[in-house]
Amino acid sequence: MKIAVINFSGNVGKTTIARHLLLPRIDGAELFSVESLNAADGEGHAMRGRQFGELQELLQTMDSAVVDIGASNVEELLDLMQKYQGSHEDFDAFVVPTVPALKQQQDTIATLVEMARLGVPRSRVRLVFNMVSSAADVPAHFDLLRAFLKVQPIATENVACYLGPNEVYGRIRGSNADLATLARDETDYKALIVKASDTAEKLALAQKLATRRLAVGVLPQLDACFAALGLAESAASNVVPLARQAQ
């Protein structure tokens, strides 16, 4: 399974979704970060949008990949995808994260329109409603985008495919930490805190405990969002649900 995570807009959670929603649940997938403005976190393959020719050649050699396309590279990459006719067919799905802010919804619509222009079928374009607390909140927070899709149904939407804000992503940013591994950590931090000799050590241990608790709490939501994307239907053997593994 090969998935591109894309949106013309920044600050919609593309990297979080690529690294923490998709990559751990697709067995054997490799991560590609297409970005020029921000340095990669040291995980996966980093490249620029103008290297799309090289990227599509690499994709032919592997079964599974997640391609995180930074906002600064989207236009260039899509332009090259137009030149490499049929290259969009290399991807099983395009996952488009979006958030409630008006500008980001407008940019999301522009992204969907451009992909439709490229010939990407609706069935391969999946929305993730980010930064909302529940599925019930989606209609009120994404009225502009959903109204557009009623007129132009060029993407697959499912209100159950949502993610809420969670500070765990900020805590592990840049560390290459894996949420499932953090959730499975059996260290007795409370006992270690009691034995710690100074406040700084106690605080460091308390932060690890808090991060593990956040990881345990967020995994079921990530599993549910991944299931709602419907990607498992096309590659069930490649899907790895994580919440039960962490128990």
Side-chain angles (χ1 to χ4, degrees), residues 6-14 96-115 127-132 137-150 154-155 157:
I6 189 169
N7 195 314
F8 279 130
S9 187
N11 302 312
V12 293
K14 288 191 293 290
V96 184
T98 186
V99 295
L102 180 60
K103 180 184 182 302
Q104 274 70 25
Q105 288 194 58
Q106 292 170 332
D107 287 344
T108 299
I109 291 171
T111 305
L112 300 180
V113 168
E114 182 62 20
M115 285 192 294
L127 288 167
V128 174
F129 299 102
N130 198 15
M131 302 301 287
V132 287
D137 292 336
V138 171
H141 286 83
F142 293 93
D143 53 343
L144 175 66
L145 174 58
R146 299 186 76 232
F148 168 79
L149 288 174
K150 285 182 180 179
I154 55 176
E157 62 164 325

Side-chain angles (χ1 to χ4, degrees), residues 10-123:
N11 302 312
V12 293
K14 288 191 293 290
T15 297
T16 292
I17 285 165
R19 292 175 182 270
H20 301 300
L21 175 67
L22 300 173
L23 187 67
R25 290 169 179 79
I26 302 173
D27 190 34
E30 294 189 41
L31 176 67
F32 291 84
S33 297
V34 183
E35 183 61 273
S36 57
L37 292 181
N38 302 310
D41 288 342
E43 181 182 354
H45 308 272
M47 52 179 49
R48 303 286 181 93
R50 62 174 177 266
Q51 295 174 280
F52 178 70
E54 178 184 342
L55 172 61
Q56 68 163 342
E57 291 167 5
L58 285 171
L59 289 175
Q60 305 308 315
T61 70
M62 55 188 61
D63 295 325
S64 300
V66 176
V67 182
D68 173 16
I69 306 169
S72 60
N73 281 250
V74 172
E75 285 193 49
E76 185 174 30
L77 187 141
L78 288 177
D79 183 56
L80 287 169
M81 194 175 286
Q82 179 71 39
K83 292 177 180 177
Y84 287 93
Q85 283 291 310
S87 57
H88 64 274
E89 296 174 0
D90 292 342
F91 293 97
D92 298 290
F94 291 81
V95 173
V96 184
T98 186
V99 295
L102 180 60
K103 180 184 182 302
Q104 274 70 25
Q105 288 194 58
Q106 292 170 332
D107 287 344
T108 299
I109 291 171
T111 305
L112 300 180
V113 168
E114 182 62 20
M115 285 192 294
R117 188 179 72 84
L118 283 173
V120 180
R122 174 182 182 272
S123 60

Side-chain angles (χ1 to χ4, degrees), residues 182-193:
L182 289 173
R184 288 194 298 266
D185 180 11
E186 297 181 354
T187 304
D188 189 345
Y189 289 110
K190 295 183 77 172
L192 292 176
I193 290 169

